[in-house]
Amino acid sequence: MVFRTQKIIASLALAGVVAGCASTPPNVQSISSTANPTTEIEKTEMMLNDARSKQVDVLSPENFTDASKALQKAKEKKEKNKSNEDILEQVSYSRAWLEQANAKAEIAKMSVGSDITDAREGAMKAGAPKFFPKEWDKNGKELEKITHAAEKGNLKPSDKRGEDIVKRYRELERMSVSQAYLGTAKDNLDVAKKDGADKNAPKSYSMALMKYENAEKMIMADPRNTNAIARASQDATRESQHLMDVTRKVNAGNSEDLVLMAERQQRQISNLRSEYSSTEQELQQVQTEAERRRMELEKQQALLNRAQVLRSQLKPNEAEVFTENGKLMVRLKGLQFPSAQSTLGPKNQALLNKVESALPGVTPSKIIIEGHTDSTGNPAANQLLSEKRAQAVENYLVSRGTISVDKVEAIGRGDAEPVSDNSTQHGRAQNRRIDLVIETE
């Protein structure tokens, strides 16, 4: 310990840090009068905040206080519209005091122990100021005495009490974590024991105590292993609440064995109910799926029946009738257009008359008339031609009065969806076609 003190004193001498505080800080670095006072004040404020986060205000309190006071004077001078030189002089004083504070904070850490800041911060984050205010204040005052002495060059107090202060902060952290996570469980155990739980409900008491002690051991081993501590503490709290419940029932005239047996039976009943509920839900899901499939099959069968109605009234060489994606498809094979034309001749009109007569039997809710071309010519021209062909069919069917105009839509597909080989004359003739896509009610 003596060797460490001598080493630190040597560090003090080498650093040129003088003991005590003067009215003017040492090593003042002047700031150019052309600097912006607002910017320099803000920059110094950030430097102070950074030092505070490193606990320099605790490890070198006098110097840090002087730095803060000097910065406050700079702000006051700025508010009073004093000269830039006066304002920046106080800012330079603040930085000099802060530099002194940083240097002495490092010396204090060497003297008290390099992990003093970690120990103090751990206790603070764990809630020591709230859970154990007296102990926190007492330790803080002890640390303040040591750091004040260190600022004046006296390192004997830190040599003597530094390690003990670090240990007390570590202990405060563990105590605070225990209070935060296990406070309810501890209170429940104390109340239950006061009510005779250790004698009248020994099984439940032993279990609750074991869960509590397991969580305590975890905290003692590593108070910052929060996830594991949280799980163990929840387990301990739940078991302590169970102990309270068992103790009340035992004190009401029941034996612990009877109370625990009743709980087991209740759990069995609850499990059975849960299993029954799950089975019921699964059965309901199966029934729902079966009903959905039944309805889908009925819908498909109804569509097939409608397809058969159309098929029976149109010859195979006139139209191909099939179902696709829940819709009726009528490919009018007998309705063909000469190349590059959209005019409906007598033969095409005769076929459309048959289609019109058959449509009421399938109760259409909407008919999409798709016009198609072969691949001869320009694609853009083919698109326009397919639209004209579809529109010609729509106009003819609507003019007959059987189909309402709001139930029909004409669409051109161009040459994008051939059904035959465009390299042959026969194939191209088949591609110049009209398809009816019928949605039924």
Side-chain angles (χ1 to χ4, degrees):
M1 185 66 72
V2 173
F3 174 76
R4 190 182 69 166
T5 300
Q6 290 173 342
K7 184 177 180 180
I8 295 172
I9 291 173
S11 298
L12 271 168
L14 289 171
V17 179
V18 296
C21 294
S23 59
T24 302
N27 303 320
V28 177
Q29 299 292 324
S30 62
I31 301 172
S32 172
S33 60
T34 60
N36 186 311
T38 301
T39 301
E40 298 304 318
I41 287 174
E42 289 175 353
K43 190 185 298 183
T44 308
E45 188 86 61
M46 291 175 63
M47 293 167 64
L48 282 166
N49 288 335
D50 181 61
R52 188 179 289 107
S53 70
K54 297 174 182 176
Q55 302 187 54
V56 173
D57 57 328
V58 176
L59 297 172
S60 182
E62 291 186 12
N63 288 288
F64 189 87
T65 298
D66 287 339
S68 299
K69 287 180 178 179
L71 183 63
Q72 183 58 35
K73 286 181 180 178
K75 291 178 181 179
E76 291 170 358
K77 286 179 179 292
K78 184 176 180 299
E79 288 177 1
K80 294 176 181 179
N81 295 318
K82 297 293 184 178
S83 67
N84 283 3
E85 288 80 0
D86 285 349
I87 298 170
L88 294 173
E89 181 182 45
Q90 291 301 320
V91 173
S92 66
Y93 285 179
S94 176
R95 292 180 184 178
W97 284 123
L98 182 58
E99 183 180 356
Q100 182 91 336
N102 286 328
K104 290 194 174 182
E106 289 301 314
I107 294 169
K109 280 201 290 186
M110 290 173 61
S111 178
V112 178
S114 60
D115 54 350
I116 178 62
T117 53
D118 178 74
R120 184 176 179 276
E121 184 177 8
M124 184 164 53
K125 287 183 177 180
K130 178 180 72 173
F131 293 123
F132 304 99
K134 291 182 179 179
E135 291 83 351
W136 174 263
D137 289 343
K138 181 180 178 181
N139 220 36
K141 289 176 181 178
E142 285 287 319
L143 179 60
E144 188 176 2
K145 289 179 182 178
I146 288 175
T147 55
H148 273 300
E151 281 185 313
K152 293 177 172 59
N154 181 8
L155 302 179
K156 289 182 180 179
S158 59
D159 276 343
K160 186 176 180 180
R161 300 195 300 274
E163 290 182 4
D164 183 56
I165 287 177
V166 172
K167 288 179 182 178
R168 275 187 275 167
Y169 274 127
R170 296 291 189 200
E171 182 61 23
L172 271 176
E173 180 180 5
R174 288 190 286 267
M175 290 166 56
S176 300
V177 172
S178 180
Q179 181 63 30
Y181 283 91
L182 287 174
T184 301
K186 180 67 167 59
D187 292 343
N188 289 345
L189 278 165
D190 290 343
V191 171
K193 186 173 183 180
K194 186 177 179 180
D195 291 340
D198 55 332
K199 297 182 179 63
N200 301 328
K203 295 177 183 177
S204 302
Y205 181 79
S206 296
M207 177 60 71
L209 185 60
M210 181 192 73
K211 297 285 187 181
Y212 175 82
E213 290 176 344
N214 285 344
E216 272 280 89
K217 288 176 183 176
M218 195 171 292
I219 292 170
M220 293 303 108
D222 181 4
R224 300 181 189 183
N225 187 7
T226 53
N227 289 335
I229 290 170
R231 290 193 296 270
S233 299
Q234 288 171 1
D235 200 15
T237 301
R238 186 167 49 250
E239 203 62 49
S240 72
Q241 290 168 343
H242 175 247
L243 171 64
M244 295 275 287
D245 185 51
V246 172
T247 302
R248 282 194 296 268
K249 292 176 181 178
V250 168
N251 291 343
N254 302 289
S255 69
E256 183 185 21
D257 288 339
L258 182 62
V259 172
L260 296 178
M261 183 176 68
E263 287 181 349
R264 287 193 296 272
Q265 291 173 342
Q266 186 59 49
R267 281 196 297 271
Q268 290 173 351
I269 293 171
S270 297
N271 290 338
L272 288 172
R273 283 177 177 169
S274 178
E275 290 174 6
Y276 175 76
S277 177
S278 297
T279 303
E280 247 189 351
Q281 290 177 0
E282 291 172 3
L283 180 60
Q284 183 63 38
Q285 290 173 355
V286 170
Q287 291 174 339
T288 301
E289 179 61 19
E291 179 64 16
R292 186 192 67 78
R293 291 183 179 181
R294 183 189 66 78
M295 293 176 66
E296 184 64 28
L297 286 172
E298 287 183 355
K299 185 177 179 181
Q300 290 177 5
Q301 186 59 54
L303 196 62
L304 289 172
N305 292 341
R306 288 187 171 100
Q308 184 57 39
V309 169
L310 282 177
R311 200 176 290 117
S312 66
Q313 299 182 54
L314 298 169
K315 295 178 181 180
N317 65 337
E318 293 176 331
E320 180 182 348
V321 182
F322 56 95
T323 64
E324 188 177 272
N325 298 325
K327 298 179 179 64
L328 281 174
M329 302 291 293
V330 181
R331 180 155 293 151
L332 297 176
K333 296 165 64 177
L335 195 152
Q336 296 183 356
F337 295 90
S339 181
Q341 295 185 30
S342 61
T343 304
L344 293 173
K347 187 177 179 180
N348 285 343
Q349 291 177 356
L351 176 55
L352 290 177
N353 290 343
K354 290 185 69 174
V355 171
E356 180 216 6
S357 299
L359 284 175
V362 297
T363 60
S365 60
K366 185 173 182 179
I367 301 175
I368 297 175
I369 302 170
E370 294 183 344
H372 298 266
T373 71
D374 61 32
S375 61
T376 303
N378 182 275
N382 288 338
Q383 175 64 34
L384 181 60
L385 180 59
S386 68
E387 293 172 2
K388 288 181 178 180
R389 288 173 176 173
Q391 192 63 56
V393 173
E394 177 186 351
N395 292 340
Y396 185 82
L397 291 176
V398 170
S399 69
R400 302 274 294 176
T402 304
I403 302 172
S404 173
V405 67
D406 61 341
K407 290 186 176 182
V408 186
E409 181 182 1
I411 297 176
R413 300 296 189 190
D415 57 16
E417 299 177 12
V419 293
S420 190
D421 187 357
N422 273 307
S423 64
T424 67
Q425 184 177 353
H426 176 73
R428 289 192 294 273
Q430 287 185 313
N431 290 333
R432 296 191 296 270
R433 71 190 190 280
I434 292 292
D435 287 343
L436 304 183
V437 183
I438 304 172
E439 297 179 12
T440 60
E441 295 177 353

